[in-house]
């Protein structure tokens, strides 16, 4: 049983955290400079997670595995090219690659927890049609807070070392519902309310594809998306927001809703919609004609000269092309090499990095995950690009939920850094 295995893992881990705190609590591991304090704490080592680690050159590792290893090692559904999303959640929680029975347990658990309470449909329907899907997504999850097992147990006096257990239940209950919530938002905004019923026998990715009404290989596209977006260590805005809010013992629904609010910014997950919007601007400008390289370069420079960022390029940590980009590029080369928008993205891949280098500001001129994700969705008929960040959010919820369970298991405290005034900084530096 997953929960029992997790309990054993938690019992093994707790002494490690306690020993670090007790014996090495005062050891210095990084220093805070003025530029870190003013500059968004970039690179400051002050968060702990064992679920993933981001190397600037290599990219993300989940529980020690690179993404190509993840795609190779995690079990797949019969005849599928991409692994079970459920298997990734198992790996996040336990650190072990699951076998098919262990995955089946999660599929069965999700099946039993999939049904949405009626009021969530009402919350979704109550939004005006011109609302952004991320605002609806965040609110739908927020409304589920009344179901929280953690809050119920907390208020009846559960002991601190047991907090992780009802948090685990909240995570299972919420993750199981995400395909239905996401597809309902899509139906409301873009399909005139036309709804498809869930197919309980399907795995997470296939059920989502079915609910979106898109045939094969969109089930594999969904699995691939949710897996590559699931985690990016703890410091990115969405994961950090989720962790921060959960640290006050807000329940998982409140924390995941907060996580989505951070993801919905254009410098973070919303960049995937921005890429499509930007490419559409270019298409309009070109009257539908595919630009040649010189025209594309001019468009990139025009964007920079207008004081805007090139969406889908750059990164706060990565210093090479994002491996999540490469996985999508390989998929596109295999399944949609002649797609018109893929030709745009392919040209941007060659044209933008030298321009960003010449421009001289961005520390990382290479493409990130968001540069590619929209055009694959576009190819499979999901063309309302405002929706793309919801797909990112479904994936990211898997990693953030696993992290919050472990935060509670290792009894990490309330997060509360200290602030200074500008005058204090001036005094500190002039004395220095
Ligand atoms: N286009 C133009 N300028 C850029 C870009 C870019 N793609 N990336 C960074 N810069 C600028 C940045 O705005 C900053 O300018 P200034 O000094 O005037 O403030 C300068 O280069 C230095 O920024 P960096 O230290 O390289 O980047 P930072 O860590 O601050 O920000 C991002 C990282 C991802 C916010 C930034 O690269 C960016 O805005 N990229 C475009 C938006 C995007 O694709 N976001 C998605 C990131 C991935 N995700 O899913 O979250
Ligand atoms: C992410 O996946 O969270 C983004 O790449 C942003 C980041 O890691 O800072």
């Amino acid at each position: 049983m997953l929960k029992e295995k997790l309990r054993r893992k938690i019992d093994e881990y707790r002494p490690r955290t306690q020993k670090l705190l007790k014996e090495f609590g005062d050891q210095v591991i990084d220093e805070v400079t003025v530029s870190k304090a003013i500059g968004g704490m970039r690179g400051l080592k002050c968060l702990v997670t064992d679920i993933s680690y981001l190397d600037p050159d290599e990219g993300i590792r989940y529980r020690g595995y690179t993404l190509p290893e993840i795609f190779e090692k995690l079990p797949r559904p019969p005849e599928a090219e991409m692994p079970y999303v459920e298997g990734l959640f198992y790996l996040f929680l336990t650190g072990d690659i699951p076998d098919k029975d262990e995955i089946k347990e999660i599929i069965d658990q999700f099946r039993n927890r999939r049904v949405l309470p009626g009021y969530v449909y009402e919350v979704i329907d109550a939004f005006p049609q011109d609302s952004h899907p991320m605002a609806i997504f965040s609110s739908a999850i927020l409304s589920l807070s009344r179901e929280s097992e953690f809050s119920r147990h907390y208020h009846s006096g559960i002991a601190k070392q047991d907090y992780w257990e009802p948090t685990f239940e909240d995570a299972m209950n919420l993750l199981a519902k995400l395909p239905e919530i996401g597809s309902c938002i899509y139906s409301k905004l873009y399909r005139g309310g036309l709804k498809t019923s869930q197919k309980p026998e399907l795995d997470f990715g296939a059920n989502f594809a079915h609910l979106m009404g898109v045939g094969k290989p969109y089930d594999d596209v969904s699995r691939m998306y949710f897996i590559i977006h699931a985690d990016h260590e703890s410091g990115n805005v969405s994961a950090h927001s989720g962790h921060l809010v959960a640290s006050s013992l807000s329940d998982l629904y409140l924390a995941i809703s907060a996580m989505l609010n951070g993801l919905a910014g254009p410098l973070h997950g919303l960049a995937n919609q921005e890429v499509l919007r930007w490419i559409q601007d270019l298409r309009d400008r070109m009257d539908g004609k595919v630009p040649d390289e010189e025209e594309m370069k001019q468009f990139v420079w025009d964007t920079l000269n207008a004081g805007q960022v090139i969406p889908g390029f750059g990164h706060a940590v990565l210093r090479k092309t994002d491996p999540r980009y490469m996985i999508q590029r390989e998929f596109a080369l295999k399944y949609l090499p002649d797609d018109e928008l893929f030709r745009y993205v392919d040209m941007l891949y060659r044209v933008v990095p030298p321009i960003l280098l010449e421009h001289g500001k961005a520390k990382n001129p290479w493409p990130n995950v968001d540069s590619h994700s929209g055009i694959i969705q576009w190819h499979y008929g999901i063309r309302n690009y405002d929706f793309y960040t919801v797909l990112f959010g479904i994936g990211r919820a898997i990693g953030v939920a696993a992290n919050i369970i472990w935060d509670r298991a290792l009894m990490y405290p309330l997060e509360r850094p200290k602030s200074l005034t500008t005058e204090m900084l001036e005094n500190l530096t002039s004395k220095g």
Side-chain angles (χ1 to χ4, degrees):
M1 289 279 290
L2 172 58
K3 201 166 173 185
E4 289 320 306
K5 183 165 191 176
L6 186 52
R7 189 189 309 283
R8 286 197 301 280
K9 297 271 177 183
I10 289 169
D11 288 344
E12 281 163 31
Y13 254 83
R14 277 182 175 161
R16 294 174 62 188
T17 305
Q18 280 151 13
K19 182 177 158 93
L20 280 167
L21 269 175
K22 195 161 161 226
E23 295 180 22
F24 305 101
D26 291 329
Q27 187 157 326
V28 176
I29 54 168
D30 206 347
E31 58 181 19
V32 182
T33 56
V34 172
S35 63
K36 284 192 204 287
I38 296 179
M41 296 184 276
R42 199 70 84 257
L44 187 69
K45 297 186 192 85
C46 59
L47 292 164
V48 186
T49 176
D50 296 301
I51 291 176
S52 67
Y53 179 76
L54 182 61
D55 179 86
D57 293 322
E58 185 188 51
I60 194 71
R61 277 182 185 256
Y62 290 163
R63 289 283 187 185
Y65 298 106
T66 63
L67 282 182
E69 287 166 350
I70 288 286
F71 281 94
E72 189 207 313
K73 287 182 191 298
L74 283 179
R76 297 163 227 272
E79 288 162 43
E81 196 170 314
M82 301 292 168
Y84 285 107
V85 176
E86 290 87 340
L88 181 68
F89 187 54
Y90 187 99
L91 174 72
F92 278 169
L93 286 182
T94 65
D96 297 336
I97 301 281
D99 61 27
K100 290 220 163 161
D101 288 340
E102 288 163 330
I103 290 181
K104 187 172 176 309
E105 186 201 334
I106 303 188
I107 294 179
D108 291 345
Q109 289 273 340
F110 280 178
R111 180 178 307 135
N112 297 336
R113 300 168 190 243
R114 276 177 192 205
V115 175
L116 278 189
Y119 64 82
V120 182
Y121 295 101
E122 288 169 23
V123 169
I124 293 173
D125 282 341
F127 271 80
Q129 280 301 112
D130 58 357
S131 307
H132 195 278
M134 285 299 279
I136 309 181
F137 193 24
S138 171
S139 306
I141 291 176
L142 195 63
S143 73
L144 277 164
S145 166
R146 71 185 285 282
E147 311 295 330
S148 172
E149 288 293 316
F150 173 78
S151 293
R152 204 164 59 75
H153 282 83
Y154 184 83
H155 291 114
S156 55
I158 189 177
K160 188 172 180 177
Q161 66 270 20
D162 300 328
Y163 286 172
W164 71 269
E165 290 200 46
T167 304
F168 170 85
E169 298 301 331
D170 283 349
M172 296 295 281
N173 285 333
L174 174 59
L175 295 181
K177 294 178 178 59
L178 294 181
E180 176 72 0
I181 297 176
S183 63
C184 272
I185 295 169
Y186 186 76
S187 300
K188 170 200 164 61
L189 293 181
Y190 316 117
R191 292 173 87 194
L194 179 71
K195 274 275 309 125
T196 312
S197 301
Q198 305 201 52
K199 273 200 177 163
E201 70 278 15
L202 296 178
D203 64 278
F204 194 94
N207 186 39
F208 183 72
H210 160 73
L211 288 168
M212 294 292 288
V214 188
K216 281 182 180 299
Y218 194 69
D219 53 343
D220 269 331
V221 171
S222 302
R223 295 184 191 104
M224 173 176 76
Y225 262 52
F226 299 147
I227 289 175
I228 62 174
H229 288 99
D231 209 28
H232 222 224
E233 67 170 41
S234 292
N236 65 75
V237 171
S238 51
H240 192 196
S241 308
H243 164 81
L244 171 67
V245 170
S247 84
S248 74
L249 299 184
S250 291
D251 68 53
L252 189 98
Y253 301 96
L254 300 171
I256 297 290
S257 174
M259 168 212 111
L260 290 169
N261 299 339
L263 191 68
L267 296 188
H268 192 15
L270 202 83
N272 61 9
Q273 95 166 36
E274 292 304 285
V275 170
L276 253 289
R277 195 173 55 80
W278 185 63
I279 290 179
Q280 294 302 337
D281 274 2
L282 174 59
R283 270 178 123 193
D284 290 348
R285 240 209 238 191
M286 300 292 303
D287 254 348
K289 171 182 153 310
V290 178
D292 60 27
E293 277 205 19
E294 284 315 307
E295 288 163 332
M296 185 64 102
K297 283 181 189 166
Q298 191 55 54
F299 183 60
V300 173
W301 274 116
D302 288 351
T303 304
L304 289 171
N305 291 336
Q308 293 160 22
V309 296
I310 306 299
F313 284 79
H315 201 273
V317 178
L318 282 166
R319 293 295 173 259
K320 290 270 166 67
T321 296
D322 191 336
R324 301 172 297 179
Y325 178 93
M326 291 313 287
I327 282 169
Q328 296 182 91
R329 181 172 163 80
E330 279 161 28
F331 184 92
L333 284 168
K334 181 166 174 189
Y335 286 100
L336 42 130
D338 301 323
D339 184 282
E340 185 197 330
L341 288 194
F342 176 61
R343 282 159 58 202
Y344 279 72
V345 167
D346 188 41
M347 202 186 290
L348 289 168
Y349 178 62
R350 281 175 279 119
V351 158
V352 173
I355 295 181
L356 283 179
L357 283 172
E358 189 183 334
H359 185 242
K361 273 189 171 185
K363 294 191 187 67
N364 174 38
W366 308 108
N368 62 55
V369 65
D370 298 316
S371 176
H372 214 305
S373 49
I375 65 115
I376 299 183
Q377 295 297 327
W378 183 275
H379 179 82
Y380 289 106
I382 310 297
R383 297 195 166 180
N384 302 95
Y385 45 80
D386 282 9
F387 188 70
Y388 295 167
T389 313
V390 172
L391 302 170
F392 193 152
I394 294 176
R396 184 52 53 94
I398 297 166
V400 173
N403 270 286
I404 292 173
I405 294 168
W406 271 97
D407 290 348
R408 298 259 159 98
L410 298 178
M411 295 181 278
Y412 289 162
L414 179 84
E415 191 176 306
R416 200 335 182 163
K418 181 80 188 76
S419 53
L420 299 171
T421 64
T422 305
E423 190 182 5
M424 286 172 186
L425 275 185
E426 285 163 350
N427 289 339
L428 273 170
T429 47
S430 62
K431 276 181 204 148

